[in-house]
Amino acid sequence: QSLKGTGQQIALSKVEGCRIKGTVMVPRTRANLHIAANINQLRSAKFGNKQAADDLNDNFKVQHVVRELIFGYEFDGQASPLAGVELYEPGLLRHIYLVKLVPTRYEGGWIPVDSYQYSYSPHTEKVNLKQAHWHLPGVYFRYDFTPMMALISTRYSHFSTYVTRIFALVGGLWVVLGVIYRMSNKVVAQVNTKKNQ
């Protein structure tokens, strides 16, 4: 889907909107980062103010594009699975990304880097303001840590390793060609002896 504007369909990624960029330092415990509507507007809507509820319904949108989300320090080859994820669904929603973090040690440079990799699963639910108890509409990033740790190690081979592999390849090819040559000679010799008899 896309947003409607002046009779044309405009992709959400091309439309100006709230842009959020930053770094958050958090303890290594399960947590929740969310982006939601103004708390005063929500209180008014919760206590039955129809104007605030209508305003929340009409103006608060959770349509979004995630440009990049990284946990920990960056390292070579680090993936950002949420990069480029877009949500165009209209309406008052509570969109949750359940993120599973894997502690990762990258040993590819002079100094090892302790960081994280992650996977995610999205979940969306509609917010009904007419219910007695309703959740805060917005975008939630709920993350938790796995007990396992990944180790990524990049090691470079010496030139002698490449030379040895080339010699092994050439030697193996020479042996195989020798076997094929001897077998074909035996077959030709047997055919010639049968013709001569």
Side-chain angles (χ1 to χ4, degrees):
Q1 297 180 20
S2 55
L3 297 173
K4 291 182 182 176
T6 63
Q8 297 177 340
Q9 297 291 324
I10 304 171
L12 183 63
S13 58
K14 305 290 184 210
V15 176
E16 289 293 326
C18 297
R19 292 177 183 261
I20 299 169
K21 180 181 181 178
T23 303
V24 180
M25 298 297 288
V26 295
R28 293 182 185 178
T29 57
R30 181 172 58 177
N32 180 357
L33 168 69
H34 64 270
I35 300 151
N38 183 319
I39 194 69
N40 293 329
Q41 186 181 23
L42 290 169
R43 279 189 188 134
S44 299
K46 273 202 169 191
F47 289 116
N49 184 329
K50 188 177 182 325
Q51 175 64 35
D54 290 344
D55 191 41
L56 189 63
N57 246 330
D58 296 338
N59 296 327
F60 187 73
K61 307 282 188 250
V62 294
Q63 297 171 331
H64 61 274
V65 178
V66 179
R67 299 283 180 219
E68 185 177 50
L69 182 66
I70 293 176
F71 291 87
Y73 298 105
E74 290 188 57
F75 59 86
D76 288 340
Q78 184 181 24
S80 178
L82 271 167
V85 170
E86 303 181 3
L87 175 76
Y88 297 136
E89 194 175 337
L92 202 58
L93 302 171
R94 186 169 175 246
H95 194 75
I96 304 163
Y97 293 104
L98 302 171
V99 178
K100 210 66 165 160
L101 292 168
V102 180
T104 304
R105 171 167 270 220
Y106 174 74
E107 296 176 349
W110 294 103
I111 301 169
V113 177
D114 289 318
S115 190
Y116 300 93
Q117 297 181 87
Y118 69 91
S119 62
Y120 76 95
S121 58
H123 175 68
T124 302
E125 56 187 48
K126 293 201 179 282
V127 175
N128 185 358
L129 299 179
K130 292 176 183 173
Q131 289 180 340
H133 301 286
W134 44 271
H135 293 285
L136 203 63
V139 180
Y140 290 70
F141 297 93
R142 288 186 177 165
Y143 62 89
D144 196 4
F145 295 84
T146 62
M148 307 290 261
M149 181 177 178
L151 173 65
I152 299 172
S153 182
T154 306
R155 300 185 195 277
Y156 298 100
S157 300
H158 295 288
F159 179 70
S160 60
T161 306
Y162 293 115
V163 172
T164 305
R165 287 181 182 167
I166 289 170
F167 279 122
L169 182 66
V170 170
L173 189 62
W174 183 262
V175 169
V176 169
L177 288 175
V179 169
I180 293 170
Y181 177 74
R182 277 187 241 124
M183 287 175 63
S184 61
N185 273 349
K186 282 186 181 181
V187 169
V188 169
Q190 285 180 355
V191 169
N192 286 341
T193 56
K194 285 186 179 179
K195 282 184 180 178
N196 292 338
Q197 290 177 354

